[in-house]
Amino acid sequence: MQAVAASDVLTAAVVIEPDPVPAQDAVSYLRMSTPPGLGQDRWGPLAEHLRQQPKCPAATALASPLMVALTRSVYATGEADPAELTDSERFPDTPSIERHLLGALVPVLVSRAARQAPTVSSSRPVHRWKPEQAQRWLTCLAQQLHRQNTYELAWWRLYQTLPALANTWPRACLVAAGAAVLALVGEAAATLAVAGQWAPGESFDFAGRARVAADTALTVVPMSLVLVVLAAALARRARPALSAVCLGVIVGILAGILAGLDALIYGAPAAQVLPWVYTDMPLPAFAYSVVLFCVGLPYPPKAPQRATLRAGGRRLLRSLAIAPLLAIAFSLLIGGLISIDSLLNPEDTRMGVFYRPAYLQGLVLGIVPGFGLAVLRWARAPLADDDSATPATTLRGDRHLSLLLGGYAALTFVIFFVGASHSPYRTGESVEGILSALWAWAETMAYVPALSGLLLGLLATSWLYYTVARTWLALRGRLPFRLQAFLYDAHHLGILRQAGPAYQFRHALLQDHLATFSAPPTPGSAKV
C-alpha cells in the first residue's frame, strides 16, 4: 500500500490469464490426487464420458483450473462418486456443475475434518463442527459481505450487520439502556455497602436509596443519548481531540442542567437551584473532557487499535508533560469551585475564598489521571501495517486496549466524581488524609462512576461492538459463539484465506454462490 501511494498513475501492467485445461490433463491430475486406498479407477466413467463428448458440460467446467481444484476437493478424497458429473439430466449445462461443486465444497471439507482426530497442526482444524452448521454460518457471512458489497471479512466491521449498532439513534438508545442498567446495578451495590455499615437496630431508608437509584438511571439516559449522537456527528471531523473536549463540555453543561431539574422536582427553591447548576457544570465537564480526550469518542472506530511499548522515548517524554498540566488544572478547578462556594455561602466560615487544602486535594487527585492519560496516549497505536497482523492478534490487541481504556476511565471518574465532590475540609491538609478520605468514600460511592467510566472507555474501541454483534448473532443461530475458532478452522480447511488482519473466501465465486444460491440460515440455537 505504501509503494502504491508513493508511485505515479499505473499506465501499464502485465496480466496473466490461465489457459483452458485439456480434459485428459484434468482427469490425469485428478487420478494422481486420489489416495491409493480410494482407487484411481473411480475416474474411469468420467474420463470415458469426456473422451466421447468433448463439448459436454463437464468438459467445459473442467477447463477451468478453479473447477478442477474444486472437483479434487469434493471427490478425490471423499466418498462421493465423480461419475455423477456425467448425468446430463441432473447437470444439463456448465453453470449447474459449477453450482454443484461450489455447494458441495463446504459440507465435504467439514465432514472430512470431523472424521479426523483434532490437532493443532497447521493443516487440520482444532475443533469439530457439524457440516450443516458450518454451511449455515458461512452462508450468513457470505450474505452479510454481499450486502456490504465487499469480499473482506473484517471482524471489526461485524457490527454493521446489526441495524441497532450500525445506525446512530438505535445505537444511542441501546447504549442509554445499558448505561441505565449499569447505574441501577451500581446504586444497588452502593446500597448494600451503605447498609452493611449501618448500626444494628437502626432503620435503613431503602425507599430513599431506591429513589436515588431511579434518579441516577434517569439522569444517565439523556446524557448517553447526547454522547452517542454527538459523537457520531463529531467523528467525521478532522480533529478528534478537539471534538472530544467539546463533547465533554457539552455533557458537563447537560449534567448541570439535569441536576437543577432534579432539585426543582424535589421542591428546592428556584433561587438556590441556579447557583447549584453553575457549580455542578465544571466538574463533569472537566471529567468527561479528560476521559474523552484519552479514550476517544464513543463511536465505532474504522480500524482496530492496540497498545504497544515501542512507541519511542521521545514521544513518551512529550506525553508525560501532560501529567503535571492536568494535575495543576484539576487543582485550580477544585480550588475555584471552593472559592465560588465560599462566595455563595458567606455564612460558612470553615473555608475561605482561598482554601489551601482544596488546591492540594486537586493536585494530589489529578496526578493519577494525568499520568494514566500520558501513558495511554503514548502506548496507543493504530493497526500494524505489516505481515504480522492477523485476525487473532488484532482482536487480542484491541481487547487489551479496550480494557486499559475502560479501566482508566473508571478510575478517573471515581477520582473526579467521588474525591472532588466532597468538601476538602473533611480530608485534612495532608496527602495521607486526602488518600484515606478518598478510599473511605470510594467504598460506598465508587460503583456508579466506575461502571459509567468503564462503559465509556469500551465504547471507543472495536472490541465491544464486535462482542455484542457476535453474541447476538450467535444467540440467533446465525454464527457460532466461538467465531474466531470457526474462522481459523475454515481458513485451514481451505474455505477461507487470510488477508492480513481479515479473512476472505478462498474464491469470490464461492462467496457469491453462498450469498446468492444458498437458502437463508434458519433461526435457532447453534451453540457448539
Side-chain angles (χ1 to χ4, degrees):
M1 294 298 293
Q2 295 176 354
V4 173
S7 62
D8 199 354
V9 177
L10 185 64
T11 57
V14 177
V15 178
I16 300 177
E17 295 183 356
D19 290 333
V21 181
Q24 297 305 319
D25 291 349
V27 173
S28 299
Y29 168 76
L30 293 172
R31 280 175 171 167
M32 289 187 296
S33 302
T34 303
L38 295 178
Q40 297 180 351
D41 56 348
R42 63 192 309 202
W43 297 101
L46 178 60
E48 182 64 20
H49 179 75
L50 296 179
R51 187 184 63 81
Q52 295 179 0
Q53 303 183 33
K55 301 295 184 181
C56 67
T60 306
L62 291 178
S64 167
L66 172 60
M67 292 300 138
V68 175
L70 292 178
T71 304
R72 173 186 179 275
S73 299
V74 172
Y75 293 106
T77 57
E79 298 177 354
D81 187 0
E84 64 182 357
L85 296 178
T86 63
D87 188 350
S88 59
E89 294 184 359
R90 183 179 176 187
F91 305 109
D93 51 22
T94 301
S96 62
I97 293 182
E98 294 176 348
R99 289 194 297 269
H100 166 71
L101 294 175
L102 290 169
L105 180 64
V106 173
V108 167
L109 293 180
V110 175
S111 298
R112 184 185 308 155
R115 293 192 297 267
Q116 297 172 350
T119 177
V120 294
S121 67
S122 59
S123 60
R124 295 181 180 178
V126 178
H127 306 88
R128 295 188 180 188
W129 313 96
K130 295 181 180 179
E132 61 274 12
Q133 290 178 330
Q135 182 82 3
R136 183 171 70 248
W137 296 333
L138 289 170
T139 297
C140 176
L141 292 172
Q143 291 173 344
Q144 292 169 2
L145 295 179
H146 183 74
R147 285 191 292 267
Q148 297 172 10
N149 194 26
T150 182
Y151 288 96
E152 187 176 65
L153 179 57
W155 64 263
W156 58 91
R157 298 196 194 106
L158 185 65
Y159 79 94
Q160 296 177 357
T161 63
L162 300 181
L165 294 178
N167 300 322
T168 300
W169 276 104
R171 184 173 66 249
C173 295
L174 187 62
V175 171
V181 171
L182 290 178
L184 292 175
V185 172
E187 288 293 349
T191 299
L192 294 177
V194 173
Q197 298 177 359
W198 213 251
E202 296 184 8
S203 60
F204 185 75
D205 187 12
F206 283 101
R209 295 294 304 186
R211 187 187 67 182
V212 172
D215 290 345
T216 304
L218 293 176
T219 300
V220 300
V221 169
M223 294 180 65
S224 301
L225 291 174
V226 170
L227 268 171
V228 176
V229 173
L230 291 184
L234 294 173
R236 303 178 181 91
R237 301 195 175 270
R239 297 181 178 180
L242 180 61
S243 300
V245 173
C246 293
L247 182 58
V249 172
I250 294 173
V251 172
I253 294 174
L254 178 61
I257 295 174
L258 292 175
L261 291 176
D262 186 67
L264 289 175
I265 291 175
Y266 287 103
Q272 296 180 2
V273 170
L274 191 58
W276 291 347
V277 171
Y278 289 150
T279 55
D280 283 341
M281 285 182 182
L283 182 58
F286 185 81
Y288 274 94
S289 297
V290 170
V291 169
L292 292 175
F293 182 76
C294 177
V295 305
L297 296 174
Y299 182 79
K302 295 181 180 179
Q305 303 174 74
R306 60 195 175 100
T308 177
L309 300 179
R310 303 176 182 177
R314 211 175 266 184
R315 180 179 170 182
L316 176 60
L317 293 177
R318 289 196 302 266
S319 299
L320 288 176
I322 301 176
L325 295 178
L326 180 61
I328 293 173
F330 192 49
S331 175
L332 295 176
L333 174 66
I334 299 301
L337 291 178
I338 295 302
S339 299
I340 294 175
D341 186 66
S342 298
L343 292 175
L344 295 176
N345 301 281
E347 68 279 359
D348 190 353
T349 59
R350 292 173 295 183
M351 297 177 290
V353 176
F354 183 80
Y355 187 63
R356 191 175 68 87
Y359 294 92
L360 178 62
Q361 176 177 338
L363 191 64
V364 172
L365 296 182
I367 287 293
V368 174
F371 182 77
L373 172 62
V375 172
L376 286 175
R377 287 188 64 84
W378 165 71
R380 192 173 185 175
L383 178 66
D385 188 15
D386 53 35
D387 296 336
S388 63
T390 66
T393 58
T394 54
L395 177 59
R396 183 167 56 250
D398 196 87
R399 179 174 64 245
H400 292 167
L401 180 63
S402 300
L403 298 177
L404 287 175
L405 295 179
Y408 170 80
L411 180 61
T412 301
F413 273 10
V414 169
I415 291 176
F416 284 175
F417 288 120
V418 177
S421 61
H422 289 75
S423 300
Y425 70 83
R426 296 175 57 188
T427 66
E429 299 187 9
S430 66
V431 175
E432 182 181 358
I434 294 173
L435 297 178
S436 299
L438 175 63
W439 180 261
W441 295 328
E443 287 181 342
T444 57
M445 302 182 62
Y447 300 101
V448 174
L451 292 176
S452 300
L454 177 63
L455 177 62
L456 187 59
L458 296 180
L459 286 172
T461 58
S462 303
W463 176 69
L464 177 63
Y465 302 98
Y466 162 77
T467 302
V468 173
R470 183 203 64 184
T471 304
W472 177 251
L473 292 172
L475 289 173
R476 297 185 61 191
R478 298 177 65 86
L479 289 179
F481 282 96
R482 296 176 293 176
L483 177 58
Q484 289 301 316
F486 174 70
L487 296 178
Y488 174 86
D489 289 344
H491 169 229
H492 287 283
L493 285 174
I495 301 173
L496 302 178
R497 64 183 177 187
Q498 183 180 316
Y503 287 111
Q504 296 175 351
F505 278 87
R506 176 68 66 177
H507 308 289
L509 284 177
L510 177 59
Q511 175 181 322
D512 295 338
H513 172 80
L514 291 174
T516 307
F517 294 99
S518 297
T522 57
S525 176
K527 185 175 181 180
V528 178

